[in-house]
Amino acid sequence: MRISAFLDIPGQDNLTPLARLEKYAFSDNIFNRQIIARGLLDVLRDFSSTEDDFLTVMEIVVRLSEDAEPNVRTELMEQVPQITIFLQESRPQFPKAFSEYLLPILVRYLTDPNNQVRKASQESLLILLEQDLIDQSDLENRVCPILLELSAPENDDEYKVEAVNIICKMISMLGKQTVEQMLLPRFCDLCSDSKLFQVRKVCAANFGDVCNAVGQEATEKFLIPKFLELCSDSAWGMRKVCAECFMAVSYTTSSEVRRTKLSPLFINLISDPCRWVRQTAFQSLGPFISTFANPSSAGLYVKEDGTLSIRPPTDDILTDSSAVDTAHCSSSYGKGNIFTEDQTTSNSSNSNDPEGSSTNSGHVISCPIVEDEGSNSKRPPTSLSTDGRPSDVFNSFLYWRSPLPDISEELDLLPVDESRKDLDLESEYSPVCKSYMASSDIEKVLQSLQGHMDDPDVQAQVQVLSAALRAAELDSITSEETTSTQESSEQSEETPSSVCTQCPSPTHPEQEEPKPPSQSPTLEEEPVFPIVSFQEEERQEDEKIKVQDVVPQPLLDQYLSMTDPVRAQTVDTEITKHCAYSLPGVALTLGRQNWHFLKDTYETLAADVQWKVRRTLAFSIHELAVILGDQLTAADLVPIFNGFLKDLDEVRIGVLKHLYDFLKLLHADMRRDYLYQLQEFLTTDNIRNWRFRYELAEQLILILELYSPKDVYDYLRVIALTLCTDKVSEVRWISFKLIVAILRKFYAHGENELGVNFINELIMQFRHSSKWVGRQAFAFICQAVVQEECMPADQFATHLLPNLLSLASDPVPNVRVLLAKALKQTLLEKAYFTSLGNPHLDDVEKTVQAMQLDRDQDVRFFSTAEPKQHLRSTPLEQSVD
């Protein structure tokens, strides 16, 4: 019923409806004026067909807007958005009605002395802006000026706060140019309002939306300085609001501003003296770190539907320095080699440089070759160029420090003794001599570095060279023992110089006569760096682990500290839950090459005593597996995944909902191990938790494609049959789909024998069941098999159809009803069963005719009525159980 229906009732006054409208609109009774204001939309529908009637109604609206009663003005303002939409859609002949009549009322009510009227006008304005019902010219010339006037510093505080709210919400709805020209300067001034805390707080709460509206350039030029001031505000509530919107602000800035300005600012918020500020900052820490993500280096991207996918590589060049620092003798995302750009440039420009002697455009970095224990010699890791030749070029990727100075030129200046050539040839066959010559070279380098011990890099080089010298001496002793087995015991106890007289004593390097440069064992021909102890290699690995430049290290350190029990006491008791929630985003930002930073934190969270923390990880472990790749997943995530499988049901459900997504990322051998554990999902802490089993059936339908038909028959078949007999009908209906999917799996792979065996088991368990629910389930399964065409029609007619038709004599009407539906709505709709000459057609028609004479009315109805449409509903929708 229309609110203004009373205007159509003829009264004693004998007035027309419009005259009666005007009479009640200006009645002394407030209730009458409220009714008119509330029913203006109905009035316009009835009396705006002609221009005269429309103008009469609009004049009444204008006069009614000047009513002294606030309730009347509020009722009128609440109708403005609906009236505007009606005029635009149904009265296009009055295009300027809103601009001439309604917009002035709206603007005037923004300054109304009554708070309720102002609120109604503000809400109406926002609705009109969202619907894009106000022209751009009206916004710039009529709406924005009044808002700027209300937000002026000299205006009343209450008006100012309301105006700031509208301005902040309008900024995200207006065009970028309009915002920058008209509203952005005033917004910046309001952010520095020192008089009113509420104004600054409103600005801070909407800061992210404003940054997103004006873009990166204006944000960095005008807004970031203001944001720095707000984050340092004396009021803790202001700093807390800034921490909440930090990610939105960071998202619109460049990486340089994000790293140099916002990161130190966020560290200050994390260490804020107010606990509420620290709590909010830690909650925003993970999202803020995620803004440092670089899809090109992470190798991943987010699809439009929100799923995480692996980005296909465009080239084999790894330019991320963090990946280079941490990938020791490994390949980039599974590739067999790594190319670095700095090697390409050095090889092309410094072809004559001893450290860039290779003429190829890139180098393939290989891992150190570990020989068998029977070999006394140690071969250094060699770099193979693209043509297969060894390259002894020092590589910054393989080593953690600067190269040692080249002394080949100094050796060239030393005198050469021709008699030494024969000795050199002999020394090539003497490992003891060779090791002494290497020791002599190392000692020369050590002496040349003694004058530069103030440099920390030189000190590190001296330490490594000293270790290499000790390793060379140990090698010489080992070689001496193996070569002196035929000598006397006195000779075996002599000094190394007496064992090999051709070799000079390493303690007197000045007495050595050097070889010619072409034959001298220079540092490039005998690199000593790989001949280091295992402790030295571990030290190098530790140094590499500490290096990453994706995220500022202080931010990452603070994030890793969120699992510290002290944080739960001083910041937030649920801080570990926030850490777990944002961990996939942080892992995506750092990339799989920096996973070692988060590994310990993830393991700590996985063992947290709060089940909510473990539940959060369980729901996201499949996404983390995509980020890390198959190798890291198998090494680090699979043990945690196995732990979640034995956890509480609240945690297990997170694993179960994405079981297929996780298993498909594993190798086939490791994936097969979970076949034995899938049956454990049938057991729950609470037997009434039927949704758990429902989710298991849904996941099994997807998991079928991951396993062979033999594995499906041996393991998943048993689970499917168990679910089909569940006490909850919802679980049974979804399990019937699982049965159909298993049959499709068998026949699609040509495993007809497995399919027949499975069908025989279905017949024994359901067709010959003592419970009518089981026989009804058999009818459902047969109907779904025909409908989905999961097996050849002739196979169905041979193995299932006779048992299906035998249900016509079932004593329970519900079973016969389902049989009638299956035959009439599904089976007889297939061309195979209706084709002439089909030997099974007669049996089906006879069964249908017999059921048309059934004693039950429902059976007769479904076997007689023609189907109106093909069966597309789920078994649940057809159930009469």
Side-chain angles (χ1 to χ4, degrees):
M1 181 178 179
R2 294 181 297 109
I3 298 177
S4 59
F6 69 94
L7 297 177
D8 302 332
I9 302 175
Q12 298 178 356
D13 49 12
N14 295 324
L15 297 176
T16 62
L18 283 178
R20 193 176 297 112
L21 171 66
E22 187 172 359
K23 173 184 176 182
Y24 285 107
F26 307 112
S27 170
D28 294 335
N29 190 335
I30 298 177
F31 177 76
N32 290 339
R33 301 200 302 272
Q34 274 188 274
I35 291 295
I36 295 298
R38 190 178 303 171
L40 278 177
L41 182 59
D42 294 334
V43 172
L44 282 172
R45 287 196 180 104
D46 296 337
F47 306 113
S48 61
S49 56
T50 64
E51 184 176 359
D52 293 338
D53 292 347
F54 176 76
L55 292 176
T56 301
V57 173
M58 296 310 296
E59 289 176 0
I60 293 175
V61 170
V62 173
R63 292 179 58 185
L64 198 62
S65 67
E66 300 173 353
D67 196 287
E69 178 60 35
N71 291 333
V72 177
R73 301 199 302 272
T74 302
E75 292 283 357
L76 174 63
M77 183 49 55
E78 290 177 351
Q79 301 301 315
V80 167
Q82 288 79 9
I83 294 175
T84 305
I85 296 174
F86 169 76
L87 294 177
Q88 187 175 21
E89 294 178 352
S90 304
R91 297 294 184 268
Q93 63 270 29
F94 310 121
K96 296 185 178 181
F98 171 76
S99 179
E100 293 179 358
Y101 294 100
L102 299 180
L103 186 58
I105 300 174
L106 178 65
V107 173
R108 187 172 72 249
Y109 279 7
L110 290 174
T111 59
D112 195 274
N114 185 269
N115 181 54
Q116 187 177 4
V117 177
R118 292 199 308 273
K119 294 294 184 184
S121 64
Q122 294 166 12
E123 294 176 0
S124 298
L125 177 59
L126 292 177
I127 293 175
L128 295 174
L129 288 173
E130 291 175 356
Q131 300 290 333
D132 196 18
L133 297 176
I134 305 179
D135 293 336
Q136 193 72 18
S137 59
D138 290 336
L139 282 175
E140 296 178 0
N141 301 326
R142 306 173 73 173
V143 178
C144 289
I146 190 66
L147 293 176
L148 294 176
E149 179 182 348
L150 291 174
S151 60
E154 64 276 2
N155 214 326
D156 186 72
D157 292 343
E158 186 177 2
Y159 287 90
K160 188 187 299 185
V161 173
E162 294 174 353
V164 171
N165 266 309
I166 297 296
I167 289 176
C168 292
K169 294 178 180 178
M170 280 182 59
I171 284 178
S172 59
M173 302 176 186
L174 299 178
K176 180 179 179 181
Q177 184 176 2
T178 304
V179 171
E180 290 183 0
Q181 292 179 353
M182 303 191 66
L183 300 181
L184 185 58
R186 178 53 55 87
F187 179 82
C188 293
D189 295 339
L190 294 172
C191 289
S192 303
D193 192 310
S194 58
K195 180 181 178 182
L196 200 60
F197 162 77
Q198 287 81 359
V199 173
R200 303 195 308 275
K201 187 174 181 179
V202 171
C203 293
N206 296 273
F207 213 94
D209 296 334
V210 176
C211 292
N212 187 40
V214 300
Q216 177 179 328
E217 183 179 356
T219 296
E220 296 180 355
K221 184 177 180 181
F222 301 106
L223 295 178
I224 291 299
K226 299 298 179 181
F227 190 67
L228 298 178
E229 295 178 4
L230 293 175
C231 290
S232 304
D233 198 276
S234 58
W236 68 265
M238 182 67 60
R239 302 193 300 274
K240 179 178 180 293
V241 173
C242 290
E244 292 174 351
C245 67
F246 217 94
M247 185 197 72
V249 176
S250 176
Y251 181 76
T252 56
T253 60
S254 63
S255 58
E256 182 181 359
V257 173
R258 190 180 301 123
R259 184 177 294 270
T260 58
K261 295 184 178 180
L262 295 185
S263 296
L265 190 63
F266 197 87
I267 294 297
N268 294 336
L269 292 177
I270 286 180
S271 56
D272 196 271
C274 178
R275 176 171 181 171
W276 304 112
V277 179
R278 296 197 306 272
Q279 177 179 331
T280 306
F282 272 108
Q283 293 177 9
S284 303
L285 178 56
F288 175 53
I289 290 178
S290 67
T291 60
F292 289 85
N294 185 1
S296 61
S297 63
L300 302 165
Y301 71 103
V302 180
K303 291 183 178 179
E304 294 181 356
D305 58 356
T307 58
L308 192 64
S309 300
I310 301 175
R311 182 183 300 277
T314 56
D315 52 51
D316 293 333
I317 297 178
L318 184 64
T319 57
D320 189 0
S321 60
S322 62
V324 171
D325 288 334
T326 56
H328 177 60
C329 294
S330 61
S331 58
S332 173
Y333 300 124
K335 293 184 176 57
N337 49 25
I338 298 177
F339 297 91
T340 55
E341 292 180 345
D342 55 346
Q343 293 169 341
T344 304
T345 55
S346 64
N347 292 333
S348 60
S349 60
N350 301 325
S351 59
N352 297 326
D353 190 354
E355 297 186 4
S357 58
S358 177
T359 58
N360 298 290
S361 59
H363 297 288
V364 180
I365 314 279
S366 63
C367 294
I369 301 174
V370 181
E371 299 187 356
D372 55 352
E373 296 178 357
S375 175
N376 293 325
S377 61
K378 295 185 178 181
R379 191 185 314 173
T382 58
S383 298
L384 299 179
S385 58
T386 54
D387 60 357
R389 294 177 299 177
S391 174
D392 294 330
V393 180
F394 175 83
N395 194 302
S396 60
F397 168 75
L398 192 57
Y399 303 102
W400 60 277
R401 56 180 174 77
S402 304
L404 294 175
D406 183 26
I407 62 171
S408 58
E409 296 181 0
E410 299 176 8
L411 294 177
D412 292 342
L413 301 177
L414 296 177
V416 179
D417 187 0
E418 295 295 336
S419 62
R420 297 290 298 174
K421 295 183 179 180
D422 297 334
L423 297 178
D424 294 337
L425 295 176
E426 296 177 6
S427 65
E428 292 179 358
Y429 300 96
S430 175
V432 181
C433 297
K434 188 174 181 179
S435 61
Y436 275 126
M437 288 154 56
S439 302
S440 176
D441 291 333
I442 295 174
E443 288 193 351
K444 286 186 178 182
V445 177
L446 286 172
Q447 289 183 356
S448 65
L449 295 176
Q450 292 300 323
H452 307 281
M453 292 300 292
D454 295 337
D455 191 351
D457 293 336
V458 175
Q459 295 177 6
Q461 295 174 14
V462 170
Q463 294 176 2
V464 175
L465 283 174
S466 301
L469 179 59
R470 290 192 298 271
E473 292 176 351
L474 291 175
D475 289 342
S476 65
I477 295 174
T478 305
S479 300
E480 176 187 355
E481 292 176 353
T482 57
T483 56
S484 62
T485 56
Q486 298 178 356
E487 297 181 4
S488 62
S489 58
E490 292 83 1
Q491 292 177 341
S492 62
E493 295 175 356
E494 291 178 359
T495 59
S497 60
S498 64
V499 175
C500 183
T501 57
Q502 299 93 330
C503 299
S505 174
T507 57
H508 302 285
E510 66 278 0
Q511 299 177 2
E512 177 186 5
E513 295 183 2
K515 298 180 180 182
S518 59
Q519 299 180 3
S520 60
T522 60
L523 205 58
E524 293 181 3
E525 296 174 353
E526 293 286 345
V528 298
F529 305 111
I531 311 177
V532 295
S533 61
F534 290 106
Q535 292 82 359
E536 197 65 36
E537 292 181 357
E538 293 178 358
R539 178 183 175 185
Q540 295 178 13
E541 291 293 338
D542 294 339
E543 291 293 334
K544 293 173 184 177
I545 287 177
K546 298 177 182 178
V547 178
Q548 67 85 25
D549 61 352
V550 181
V551 178
Q553 193 61 37
L555 286 178
L556 185 58
D557 292 340
Q558 292 291 343
Y559 178 80
L560 299 179
S561 69
M562 292 176 71
T563 57
D564 190 347
V566 178
R567 295 291 191 190
Q569 300 176 0
T570 59
V571 179
D572 186 7
T573 56
E574 294 189 352
I575 189 172
T576 52
K577 182 181 178 182
H578 297 293
C579 180
Y581 181 80
S582 58
L583 194 140
V586 177
L588 176 62
T589 303
L590 292 176
R592 65 184 66 173
Q593 68 273 11
N594 292 317
W595 165 244
H596 52 267
F597 286 98
L598 301 174
K599 179 182 176 181
D600 293 341
T601 300
Y602 191 78
E603 293 175 350
T604 303
L605 293 172
D608 196 274
V609 295
Q610 301 183 60
W611 64 266
K612 292 182 179 180
V613 177
R614 304 194 304 274
R615 174 185 170 93
T616 303
L617 294 181
F619 270 94
S620 63
I621 192 171
H622 66 290
E623 296 287 1
L624 191 60
V626 176
I627 297 171
L628 298 184
D630 53 356
Q631 294 182 358
L632 291 175
T633 297
D636 299 333
L637 296 189
V638 167
I640 295 176
F641 182 83
N642 295 337
F644 288 158
L645 293 179
K646 303 174 183 178
D647 212 314
L648 301 175
D649 285 352
E650 289 79 3
V651 180
R652 296 169 69 203
I653 189 63
V655 173
L656 182 59
K657 278 185 173 292
H658 303 285
L659 186 61
Y660 165 76
D661 297 327
F662 185 83
L663 291 181
K664 71 179 181 180
L665 300 173
L666 303 179
H667 290 293
D669 296 340
M670 183 172 294
R671 185 190 306 146
R672 197 172 185 276
D673 295 339
Y674 289 96
L675 283 171
Y676 309 93
Q677 305 181 41
L678 291 176
Q679 188 136 4
E680 297 178 2
F681 283 110
L682 294 174
T683 305
T684 56
D685 298 337
N686 184 4
I687 194 173
R688 297 181 180 178
N689 188 9
W690 61 268
R691 290 180 178 85
F692 198 90
R693 301 188 296 275
Y694 184 91
E695 188 66 40
L696 174 61
E698 283 192 328
Q699 287 296 312
L700 288 178
I701 295 175
L702 301 174
I703 289 174
L704 291 177
E705 70 177 55
L706 302 178
Y707 296 102
S708 65
K710 186 66 169 59
D711 289 336
V712 172
Y713 184 83
D714 292 340
Y715 300 98
L716 303 186
R717 169 186 59 88
V718 179
I719 303 176
L721 293 176
T722 304
L723 291 173
C724 286
T725 59
D726 197 89
K727 294 182 179 179
V728 180
S729 61
E730 288 273 4
V731 180
R732 296 199 301 270
W733 305 142
I734 190 65
S735 301
F736 298 152
K737 293 184 179 180
L738 176 59
I739 295 293
V740 174
I742 292 177
L743 285 173
R744 181 186 294 111
K745 177 80 173 182
F746 291 155
Y747 284 98
H749 289 77
E751 298 289 346
N752 293 354
E753 183 179 356
L754 294 179
V756 172
N757 294 338
F758 188 46
I759 289 174
N760 293 333
E761 195 167 358
L762 292 175
I763 293 172
M764 291 299 299
Q765 182 166 344
F766 296 104
R767 169 61 190 88
H768 301 294
S769 174
S770 59
K771 297 181 179 180
W772 69 268
V773 176
R775 301 191 298 273
Q776 184 191 50
F778 183 77
F780 270 123
I781 292 173
C782 292
Q783 183 182 15
V785 167
V786 176
Q787 181 177 340
E788 300 295 333
E789 298 180 355
C790 64
M791 60 183 296
D794 58 340
Q795 293 286 325
F796 175 84
T798 302
H799 300 289
L800 285 176
L801 184 58
N803 292 279
L804 177 64
L805 296 179
S806 65
L807 291 176
S809 59
D810 195 275
V812 179
N814 283 353
V815 178
R816 301 197 303 274
V817 166
L818 265 296
L819 174 61
K821 287 182 178 181
L823 296 179
K824 199 69 175 177
Q825 299 178 357
T826 304
L827 198 70
L828 293 178
E829 293 295 312
K830 300 298 179 180
Y832 175 83
F833 295 99
T834 57
S835 60
L836 296 177
N838 190 309
H840 307 284
L841 180 60
D842 293 339
D843 296 337
V844 175
E845 289 181 346
K846 289 180 181 179
T847 304
V848 172
Q849 291 173 3
M851 297 180 70
Q852 290 175 355
L853 303 176
D854 194 274
R855 62 182 180 272
D856 187 85
Q857 180 180 0
D858 292 334
V859 176
R860 295 196 303 270
F861 173 79
F862 285 108
S863 60
T864 304
E866 293 293 333
K868 296 182 180 180
Q869 61 182 3
H870 293 290
L871 182 61
R872 290 294 181 266
S873 58
T874 62
L876 174 64
E877 297 170 341
Q878 309 169 25
S879 174
V880 294
D881 185 10

